[in-house]
Amino acid sequence: MQENGTEGVKLDFDWETFLAPNDMEWVVKPVSWDEGAFIGNGLIGAMIYGEENARKRHVLRLVTGRTDVMASRTDATGFPPRVPIGELDLELEGMIYHPTRLRLDLWNAELIGSATTTRGEVRLRAFVHSEENVMAVETEASEGERAHRFVWYERANVDPVLIYADGVNVNQFIPEADIARLDKDGIAVSVQRYKTEEGCVTAWKEVRLSEARRVCYLSVARGCGDAAVREAVQAVAKAAGADYGQWLQAHRSWWHRYYRQSFVSIPDGRLESFYWIQMYKLASATRADKPLIDNQGPWLAPTPWAGVWFNMNVQMSYSPVYTSNRLEIGESLVRSIEEHQEQLIRNVPEAYRHDSAGLGRSCSFDLDSKVEDEVGNLTWVCHNLWRQYRYSMDDDMLRRVLVPVLRRSVNYYAHLLEEGEDGRWHLPPTVSPEYGSFMKTRVRDCHYDLALLRWGCETLLAVSGRLGESDPLEERWRSILERLVPLPADDSGFMVGENTPLAYGHRHFSHLLAVFPLHLIGCDDEAERELIARSLEHWIGKEGDLRGFSLTGAASIAAVLGRGGEALGYLQALLHIVKPNTMYKEAGPVIETPLAGAESLQDMLLQSWGDTIRVFPAVPDEWQDAAFHDLRAEGAFLVSAVREGGRTRWVRVKSLAGEPCVVKTDWTGTVMCKLTGTDREAAANGQEGGFIRLQLRRGEEALLYPEGEQPDFVIRPVSAGAAGRPIRPFGGHKPWRWFGFPRHIE
């Protein structure tokens, strides 16, 4: 039994054993990006799959990407998009036939498996090292497959049969490249130099561990000059010169620490597996010191969206970071905004640059995107920064990044305000993201912008109070809040804007931003609750243009209403449209939708908007049992709780910052409170409606439970419901049971 560093609460399970049923696995080899196994370390990654084409049935492809490799367009105007790099192919002697056994081991963040061919068998392990920019592929071959080989193909040299099998999108820019092959002290090097003098360098080396075993190390550097060559070569040389076992263990140890940051267990095995795969995906897609999460992560595939989109995608990609207690992942977004503040200023018209900043719809990692009709994108990003602050209470980040950027974002809105005949402040016509997206329907008093402006003013005033630092613009913000036109609504609920009801399908929830994620209105007021419910029902009833991310937004809004069964229904529908490997694709791959689905699940277990921590606020009736440990709440609290037999058994709240704390549970009677480190228990300061007010100092913990009960304060995985728990439901076409690991690869 593990204490996990928390007095009073113990974890009664083994992490590796718990995560194993949530792994992805394949009994037939995956044959496309939609089915492939993905590995990554926040910068370098690979999507791994084979081919059905008869000419290539002896190949296992590791389609490789590095997030920050881009090329300036020579075919059209626009920002420099991400471009494909190439692939490392494992070319076997014989033809691969079924069964091919592959398993993505979440606990160790590595792909393990075996490929059976007409000549023998090759067992493999593939991973991208968690702390070094090196991918490793280890193989162990039977005698008939000892001559298998690793071959690097630059994107320009990939067989057209394979390229077209992936699909071609005419909007994707593929740069012409001059390719040079070098040898640097036994390390093979490929330099791709684009016509724009940009490019990338790939270096790789094979090391034999025994007659049957070998490892291929590969690294990719951005650029095509001597510095990029040195970077890639040195990374490979360092990895190849290390003790392989110790090097592998260092990779695993990072991931073991990462997973232990929080724990979630629910009786729905398929949804639980989906959740943990998203936690793996998050840390594979970015890290604190890596580029922010764009539309694809390291796994670029043919797409019209080879860049960063800020009218939803980035914000939703980071949405599960906060409650899951993985704030270091969110630091990549904070750092990107901090480093590009001057560019955010240049994004607004010159007349406003003295006090304003903004962000358009799409760009590269330099955030060079002029503000046009979508005005609120930067303000929405600031909401993510606000969440990073509220879950950490890091006043330094608040002063250094959030305040200056949000202040300028609100200033830009203030320049646009127009006084109407009614004496109210109104906004000129702007675009509600994705509503009539091809026509860019412009509406006056757009909900998207009104909600963000109101949230921005309220937040800046709250920050001034928090920091005790008066701002000369405070009266302006108060005036805007007092005179700003109300959010347009009609009998169907919230409208897109003035005189613009939701008349047809709208895949985005941009017209509901005041409900989620901004939480400007909640459910404590019956009139507001009815408005939220009416708006949700009307929106989802317009089925014509709904997408996967529509379902995640709907699930979170249903969770705000406490409708756990409805939220679960939306998430179950989502699982029917994500790809077998939990990726998501429309005209091209987009990473935000499954990640946002993880936040929706969190919203069913814990919510903390409005200065109240809500424990199990939207658990469906069929989830009689559930448990979570060290989920994070606003105010920098770590919360653990157990639900058994349809009711909450106990709650643990730990304060990391000494902030005020109000907890809401399903308890109606007297609630007992025990501060850890003491034997004293006393009735908590309860209020009507299940609200419990706590006074906790920094580092102090409170154990809460109903009077007359003596919980054991142990966290255990919950048992499956009546439907049973599927074993590894994601990956291949049909789940299969793993009957043991290869002799060396274990």
Side-chain angles (χ1 to χ4, degrees):
M1 185 175 293
Q2 309 170 45
E3 290 208 12
N4 209 43
T6 303
E7 182 182 357
V9 174
K10 294 181 172 58
L11 306 186
D12 186 15
F13 65 92
D14 173 75
W15 272 97
E16 184 173 9
T17 302
F18 167 73
L19 282 178
N22 298 310
D23 293 346
M24 288 193 287
E25 61 184 358
W26 296 257
V27 67
V28 295
K29 72 175 184 289
V31 295
S32 69
W33 183 94
D34 299 4
E35 300 174 351
F38 53 92
I39 55 178
N41 72 347
L43 180 64
I44 291 175
M47 185 67 78
I48 304 166
Y49 51 95
E51 275 302 327
E52 286 289 2
N53 186 278
R55 291 169 51 193
K56 297 292 179 181
R57 284 187 183 159
H58 67 293
V59 172
L60 192 64
R61 305 170 63 191
L62 289 89
V63 181
T64 305
R66 175 167 164 142
T67 308
D68 59 358
V69 174
M70 299 160 290
S72 299
R73 299 192 74 113
T74 57
D75 63 332
T77 59
F79 63 82
R82 287 186 56 190
V83 295
I85 293 172
E87 59 187 67
L88 180 68
D89 284 2
L90 173 57
E91 298 186 351
L92 306 177
E93 289 294 288
M95 304 290 279
I96 301 174
Y97 66 88
H98 303 318
T100 298
R101 295 186 169 186
L102 297 174
R103 172 175 163 187
L104 186 57
D105 179 347
L106 296 178
W107 177 239
N108 291 316
E110 58 194 40
L111 179 71
I112 55 176
S114 63
T116 304
T117 77
T118 53
R119 297 285 186 88
E121 182 183 55
V122 176
R123 299 171 179 175
L124 66 101
R125 181 203 324 273
F127 60 96
V128 182
H129 199 278
S130 54
E131 297 180 301
E132 300 181 25
N133 291 326
V134 178
M135 178 171 70
V137 185
E138 176 191 353
T139 58
E140 180 183 16
S142 65
E143 186 172 355
E145 279 291 351
R146 297 279 167 83
H148 70 272
R149 56 203 170 274
F150 294 102
V151 183
W152 172 255
Y153 293 97
E154 299 83 359
R155 177 58 172 74
N157 290 329
V158 175
D159 190 323
V161 169
L162 302 185
I163 295 175
Y164 283 89
D166 280 345
V168 173
N169 193 303
V170 295
N171 294 309
Q172 172 107 42
F173 174 58
I174 309 296
E176 295 182 46
D178 293 326
I179 298 169
R181 290 286 185 103
L182 314 171
D183 183 279
K184 295 288 186 179
D185 298 323
I187 297 175
V189 178
S190 167
V191 180
Q192 298 186 61
R193 184 182 299 274
Y194 309 139
K195 301 303 181 183
T196 55
E197 295 304 309
E198 299 152 311
C200 64
V201 174
T202 306
W204 66 98
K205 180 179 182 178
E206 286 190 41
V207 175
R208 285 199 175 271
L209 303 179
S210 69
E211 183 179 357
R213 295 175 66 209
R214 67 177 89 166
V215 181
C216 181
Y217 299 93
L218 181 144
S219 184
V220 180
R222 179 187 179 190
C224 54
D226 292 343
V229 172
R230 284 194 300 272
E231 177 186 335
V233 169
Q234 289 174 2
V236 170
K238 179 183 177 184
D243 178 275
Y244 178 69
Q246 294 178 5
W247 192 73
L248 173 61
Q249 188 55 49
H251 159 77
R252 291 174 169 177
S253 295
W254 187 96
W255 281 94
H256 298 170
R257 293 190 298 271
Y258 168 79
Y259 283 121
R260 287 188 174 103
Q261 291 172 322
S262 64
F263 171 80
V264 165
S265 181
I266 57 176
D268 186 327
R270 183 171 172 80
L271 191 56
E272 181 181 275
S273 178
F274 173 83
Y275 178 82
W276 283 105
I277 293 168
Q278 304 323 299
M279 294 300 102
Y280 165 79
K281 189 182 296 177
L282 264 180
S284 299
T286 192
R287 303 286 173 82
D289 60 343
K290 300 297 191 292
L292 58 79
I293 304 177
D294 68 343
N295 279 22
Q296 289 81 35
W299 312 289
L300 184 66
T303 177
W305 307 308
V308 189
W309 260 250
F310 282 102
N311 63 346
M312 172 190 65
N313 305 71
V314 167
Q315 294 90 329
M316 292 178 67
S317 292
Y318 282 91
S319 64
V321 164
Y322 312 107
T323 302
S324 69
N325 192 26
R326 305 181 196 279
L327 296 185
E328 79 282 359
I329 300 294
E331 290 173 8
S332 60
L333 178 59
V334 175
R335 181 176 46 78
S336 180
I337 296 299
E338 181 175 18
E339 291 177 353
H340 295 98
Q341 290 184 64
E342 290 302 315
Q343 180 58 58
L344 296 173
I345 293 171
R346 291 192 293 270
N347 287 339
V348 300
E350 188 171 358
Y352 305 128
R353 291 176 187 170
H354 64 285
D355 69 351
S356 301
L359 188 56
R361 174 180 290 192
S362 56
C363 55
S364 189
F365 294 102
D366 58 8
L367 307 193
D368 183 356
S369 183
K370 301 299 183 285
V371 178
E372 296 179 347
D373 294 327
E374 284 182 359
V375 179
N377 297 337
L378 179 58
T379 318
W380 192 359
V381 171
C382 285
H383 183 259
N384 284 73
L385 302 188
W386 174 248
R387 295 188 72 185
Q388 184 85 13
Y389 164 69
R390 283 290 294 150
Y391 285 73
S392 66
M393 302 308 296
D394 180 354
D395 286 346
D396 177 63
M397 188 277 283
L398 186 65
R399 289 188 176 95
R400 192 182 73 250
V401 187
L402 178 57
V403 169
V405 176
L406 179 57
R407 196 173 186 270
R408 281 183 166 271
S409 177
V410 168
N411 282 347
Y412 186 64
Y413 268 126
H415 287 302
L416 303 180
L417 288 173
E418 303 168 344
E419 187 172 9
E421 295 180 358
D422 56 0
R424 295 276 195 176
W425 288 121
H426 294 263
L427 284 171
T430 57
V431 168
S432 182
E434 307 286 351
Y435 189 66
S437 57
F438 295 108
M439 298 178 289
K440 287 193 174 182
T441 303
R442 301 170 77 248
V443 296
R444 180 176 166 86
D445 290 335
C446 175
H447 176 109
Y448 179 73
D449 292 303
L450 287 176
L452 285 165
L453 175 56
R454 182 171 295 279
W455 172 82
C457 290
E458 289 182 357
T459 300
L460 286 169
L461 288 169
V463 167
S464 293
R466 165 76 184 183
L467 299 179
E469 300 171 359
S470 179
D471 192 295
L473 294 178
E474 286 182 21
E475 288 306 313
R476 185 186 198 183
W477 300 330
R478 290 192 181 94
S479 174
I480 290 174
L481 290 174
E482 290 169 0
R483 297 177 57 193
L484 191 63
V485 64
L487 296 166
D490 63 8
D491 290 342
S492 65
F494 281 120
M495 301 166 68
V496 177
E498 179 187 75
N499 299 322
T500 310
L502 185 68
Y504 49 86
H506 185 17
R507 56 194 178 191
H508 204 308
F509 47 88
S510 54
H511 69 297
L512 298 175
L513 226 65
V515 181
F516 174 81
L518 301 182
H519 296 293
L520 292 176
I521 66 172
C523 297
D524 296 332
D525 179 87
E526 188 57 37
E528 288 186 347
R529 181 181 181 84
E530 194 277 332
L531 176 59
I532 294 171
R534 188 161 26 104
S535 301
L536 174 61
E537 290 159 9
H538 179 69
W539 171 46
I540 291 300
K542 299 286 186 182
E543 296 180 354
D545 197 31
L546 298 181
R547 296 292 188 272
F549 55 83
S550 314
L551 296 170
T552 69
S556 287
I557 294 172
V560 168
L561 292 167
R563 297 179 176 179
E566 184 176 344
L568 177 60
Y570 294 132
L571 289 182
Q572 288 174 334
L574 174 67
L575 296 187
H576 285 293
I577 60 176
V578 297
K579 300 305 179 182
N581 57 4
T582 81
M583 290 293 186
Y584 180 73
K585 182 189 286 186
E586 293 178 6
V590 276
I591 196 174
E592 85 290 319
T593 292
L595 293 174
E599 183 194 30
S600 300
L601 174 56
Q602 293 166 358
D603 286 341
M604 298 166 70
L605 301 174
L606 184 72
Q607 299 175 30
S608 58
W609 49 270
D611 297 322
T612 298
I613 299 172
R614 300 163 177 84
V615 180
F616 296 128
V619 178
D621 292 340
E622 53 264 53
W623 291 5
Q624 291 292 292
D625 301 333
F628 62 82
H629 179 60
D630 277 357
L631 291 184
R632 191 177 277 247
E634 290 192 23
F637 296 96
L638 295 181
V639 184
S640 304
V642 167
R643 172 182 169 90
E644 293 177 348
R647 65 189 185 94
T648 303
R649 293 296 308 277
W650 59 266
V651 177
R652 190 288 315 261
V653 180
K654 178 177 181 178
S655 174
L656 302 180
E659 291 294 304
C661 181
V662 177
V663 180
K664 188 178 189 307
T665 71
D666 56 2
W667 296 323
T668 56
T670 301
V671 176
M672 305 307 295
C673 175
K674 179 180 179 181
L675 296 182
T676 55
T678 73
D679 293 326
R680 181 175 59 86
E681 70 173 2
N685 183 13
Q687 297 175 313
E688 186 177 352
F691 294 92
I692 304 163
R693 189 173 301 276
L694 300 174
Q695 298 293 329
L696 297 177
R697 295 186 293 269
R698 184 190 301 266
E700 200 167 37
E701 303 178 23
L703 297 169
L704 306 175
Y705 49 96
E707 183 181 33
E709 298 191 14
Q710 292 295 325
D712 59 8
F713 303 113
V714 174
I715 297 285
R716 304 179 180 90
V718 303
S719 301
R725 184 179 294 277
I727 301 296
R728 306 181 189 111
F730 293 98
H733 301 291
K734 295 180 180 179
W736 58 282
R737 299 300 299 271
W738 185 265
F739 291 106
F741 295 95
R743 180 165 49 89
H744 290 294
I745 302 178
E746 61 184 8

